[in-house]
């Protein structure tokens, strides 16, 4: 008898067509309006390591046509890999540089240079990073500008890793190449397409000095 | 259930096709004005009738959406009526002719007179997505020109117009520069509508079914119609008001009224015209 732990995947969408459409529209709205939160209805039954929000974004966007790199803590969890392959058929890869999607925690987001960045002729062939906002990073406050933003918008980013502003400025300098970011919370998403420019917000006390 | 009846997936397209289009759409929004290739599918209308637009609408629409479809400015033409009925049937979406009530507006090729608002999505049916196509027929070359930000050829074309006719003679599909980077064909939209793209509150997405390209302009994005310092871009303008509702500053269609050269000019946006005419009737009781 095989006594390996059973990995019957947790349930996915009950109504895949309608639910994935709603999640996609939230992500599309987020791309069209960078740094603004758009609500999603997470799946509480999703495996622990993945989380309710990440699960629905994965189910809405992944299939056998894309490859996904998982951060090391996620990649070793059978219930997560089984869940993703069973529900979406996506190819889980250990090669960061070739992945279409990268599921990262704040400490595995950077460097961007080892991800697919696209080419000048095909800038769309770059990685989309999905940041799990359930894990906290160094945290930072930014002022964001760019397409989709009327004037400027402030962004509170507790998920931002150390040095994110510099890494993001480096990404912006590659335009039209570069990665795009979706930050996923349990109940909402925000997006940072490569066109968004971030400036560290100066704390009020520092302004006086 | 009638066994002969075919059951289609909600939104007509299969889920994998929708996901493919959706992923392409995200990259298109992330790189404003860049044409992203996609695997265009067959839809139940012939290529050239809006297959790109229909696929985009099918990929984004949900049961809580309200769809408006216009052909030029009109809600009541065959194609517009059929596409509205199609999505009502396959996606369960509500349909409307009222611009302000619509969440998705599919168009060939006009932009409605009423200003678009936050959250609205304009879907364009695009015949030729490549603005440089008639100047450089090779796709390999035009891709490289976009990569190198090399748009001199388009300026030469505009210059030649000025040298030959004294003004830039392009009145539709007038080339724009999106976010100061990509040259983009706004589909055969009349140049009258070009200024509406600049810093628009709505998301504009473009689908070319036959040419298999999707591109987008996010809201609040700079969209500059090309021109020169001494010959700046000039949108079309109309001297007379609409013959039906009296609107000025709107796009007018020329309607031939007899065989002796008689014409009238009326709004191309039928919803705008009906609404304005109705208001006029309320103000001046017969």
């Amino acid at each position: 008898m095989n006594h390996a732990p059973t990995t019957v995947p947790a349930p996915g969408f009950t109504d895949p067509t309608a639910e994935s459409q709603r999640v996609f529209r939230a992500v599309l709205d987020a791309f069209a309006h960078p740094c603004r939160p758009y609500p999603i209805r997470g799946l509480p039954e999703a495996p622990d390591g993945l989380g309710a929000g990440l699960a629905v974004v994965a189910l809405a966007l992944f299939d056998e046509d894309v490859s996904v790199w998982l951060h090391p803590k996620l990649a070793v969890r059978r219930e997560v890999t089984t869940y993703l392959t069973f529900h979406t058929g996506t190819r889980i890869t250990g090669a960061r540089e070739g992945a279409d999607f990268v599921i990262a925690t704040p400490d595995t987001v950077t460097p961007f240079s080892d991800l697919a960045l696209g080419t000048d002729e095909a800038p769309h062939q770059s990685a989309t990073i999905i940041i799990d906002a359930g894990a906290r990073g160094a945290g930072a406050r930014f002022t964001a500008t760019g397409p989709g933003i009327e004037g400027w918008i402030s962004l509170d980013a507790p998920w931002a890793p150390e040095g994110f502003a510099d890494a993001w400025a480096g990404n912006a300098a590659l335009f039209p190449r570069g990665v795009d970011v979706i930050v996923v919370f349990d109940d909402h998403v925000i997006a940072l397409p490569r066109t968004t420019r971030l400036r560290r917000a100066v704390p009020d006390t520092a302004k006086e000095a | 259930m009638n066994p002969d009846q075919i059951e289609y997936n909600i939104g007509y397209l299969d889920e994998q096709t929708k996901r493919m289009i959706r992923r392409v759409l995200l990259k298109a929004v992330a790189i404003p004005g860049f044409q992203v290739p996609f695997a265009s599918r067959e839809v139940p209308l012939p290529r050239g009738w809006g297959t790109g637009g229909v696929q985009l609408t099918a990929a984004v629409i949900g049961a809580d959406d309200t769809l408006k479809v216009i052909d030029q400015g009109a809600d009541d033409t065959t194609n517009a009526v059929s596409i509205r009925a199609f999505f009502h049937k396959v996606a369960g979406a509500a349909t409307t002719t009222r611009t302000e009530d619509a969440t998705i507006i599919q168009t060939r090729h006009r932009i409605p007179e009423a200003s678009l608002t936050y959250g609205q999505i304009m879907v364009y049916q695009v015949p030729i997505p490549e603005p440089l196509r008639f100047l450089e027929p090779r796709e390999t070359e035009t891709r490289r020109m976009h990569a190198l930000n090399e748009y001199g050829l388009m300026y030469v074309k505009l210059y030649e117009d000025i040298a030959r006719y004294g003004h830039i003679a392009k009145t539709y599909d007038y080339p724009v520069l999106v976010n100061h980077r990509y040259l983009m064909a706004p589909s055969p939209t009349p140049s009258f509508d070009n200024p509406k793209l600049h810093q628009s509150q709505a998301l504009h997405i473009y689908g070319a079914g036959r040419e298999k390209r999707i591109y987008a302009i996010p809201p609040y994005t700079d969209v500059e119609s090309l021109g020169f310092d001494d010959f700046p871009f000039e949108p079309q303008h109309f001297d007379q008001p609409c013959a039906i509702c009296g609107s000025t500053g709107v796009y007018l269609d020329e309607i031939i009224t007899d065989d002796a050269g008689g014409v009238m000019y009326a709004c191309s946006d039928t919803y705008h015209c009906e609404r304005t005419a109705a208001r006029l009737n309320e103000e001046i009781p017969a």
Side-chain angles (χ1 to χ4, degrees), chain B:
Chain B
M1 196 185 83
N2 179 356
D4 296 334
Q5 185 107 26
I6 301 169
E7 284 274 319
Y8 290 107
N9 187 30
I10 294 170
Y12 184 77
L13 295 174
D14 59 280
E15 290 303 300
Q16 187 160 2
T17 297
K18 286 192 218 164
R19 272 193 302 271
M20 175 268 297
I21 294 173
R22 288 168 179 171
R23 288 190 298 254
V24 164
L25 205 39
L26 294 182
K27 289 297 180 192
V29 174
I31 319 167
F34 174 75
Q35 302 161 51
V36 187
F38 81 112
S40 183
R41 300 286 193 250
E42 295 216 339
V43 286
L45 75 168
R47 294 206 159 152
W49 286 62
T51 55
V54 164
Q55 289 178 77
L56 279 179
T57 301
V60 298
I61 202 166
D64 18 337
D65 276 308
T66 306
L67 177 72
K68 171 182 166 89
V69 183
I70 50 175
D71 193 338
Q72 297 303 342
D75 295 284
D76 53 3
T77 55
T78 309
N79 209 18
V81 171
S82 316
I83 293 174
R84 255 196 329 267
F86 174 72
F87 281 110
H88 178 64
K89 189 171 181 179
V90 300
T95 61
T96 184
T97 58
R98 296 166 56 88
T99 305
E100 58 273 22
D101 291 349
T103 54
I104 302 173
I105 303 172
Q106 182 172 330
T107 176
R108 182 216 105 170
H109 314 279
R110 285 221 53 224
I111 302 173
E113 303 296 352
S115 345
L116 301 174
T117 53
Y118 166 80
Q120 286 185 316
I121 301 178
M122 283 290 296
V123 178
Y124 297 77
Q125 308 167 192
V126 180
I128 313 254
E130 178 49 71
L132 300 163
R133 181 58 67 236
F134 292 116
L135 307 172
E136 171 50 69
R138 288 168 296 180
E139 173 69 16
T140 45
E141 278 302 303
T142 51
R143 270 191 216 181
R144 189 162 304 155
M145 289 158 82
H146 285 292
L148 298 174
N149 201 354
E150 175 49 70
Y151 298 134
L153 205 55
M154 183 54 88
Y155 283 99
V156 170
K157 190 247 179 271
L158 298 181
Y159 168 77
E160 283 182 349
D161 265 12
I162 294 167
R164 200 170 296 164
Y165 310 112
H167 62 276
I168 297 171
K170 217 160 165 47
T171 52
Y172 63 91
D173 207 2
Y174 191 102
V176 294
L177 201 60
V178 181
N179 193 28
H180 312 283
R181 176 57 179 84
Y182 278 105
L183 185 69
M184 195 197 93
S187 90
T189 299
S191 69
F192 176 87
D193 288 331
N194 270 28
K196 297 175 187 169
L197 293 171
H198 179 66
Q199 293 288 329
S200 167
Q201 289 187 38
L203 168 66
H204 301 261
I205 57 180
Y206 295 79
R210 185 183 47 209
E211 303 288 322
K212 303 179 175 61
R213 293 291 183 276
I214 286 171
Y215 51 103
I217 306 174
Y220 306 112
T221 300
D222 285 343
V223 179
E224 179 201 347
S225 302
L226 297 189
F228 299 99
D229 288 348
D230 48 348
F231 283 89
F233 163 68
E234 294 222 8
Q236 293 151 289
H237 61 93
F238 300 88
D239 297 326
Q240 60 280 78
C242 167
I244 296 169
C245 72
S247 289
T248 52
V250 296
Y251 191 81
L252 300 178
D253 281 339
E254 183 185 48
I255 301 163
I256 311 286
T257 50
D258 54 31
D259 56 3
V263 291
M264 69 182 268
Y265 291 89
C267 288
S268 112
D269 185 334
T270 51
Y271 167 64
H272 173 85
C273 200
E274 279 165 20
R275 194 182 50 166
T276 315
R279 268 194 213 139
L280 215 62
N281 283 341
E282 276 169 29
E283 280 164 24
I284 319 161

Side-chain angles (χ1 to χ4, degrees), chain A residues 5 32 43 46 70 82 85 129-130 142-143 152 165 167 179 185 190 192 204:
Chain A
L43 276 174
L70 303 176
T82 312
T85 45
I129 304 177
I130 302 176
F142 299 108
T143 306
W152 60 274
V179 296
F185 298 78
I190 65 164
L192 293 175
D204 290 341

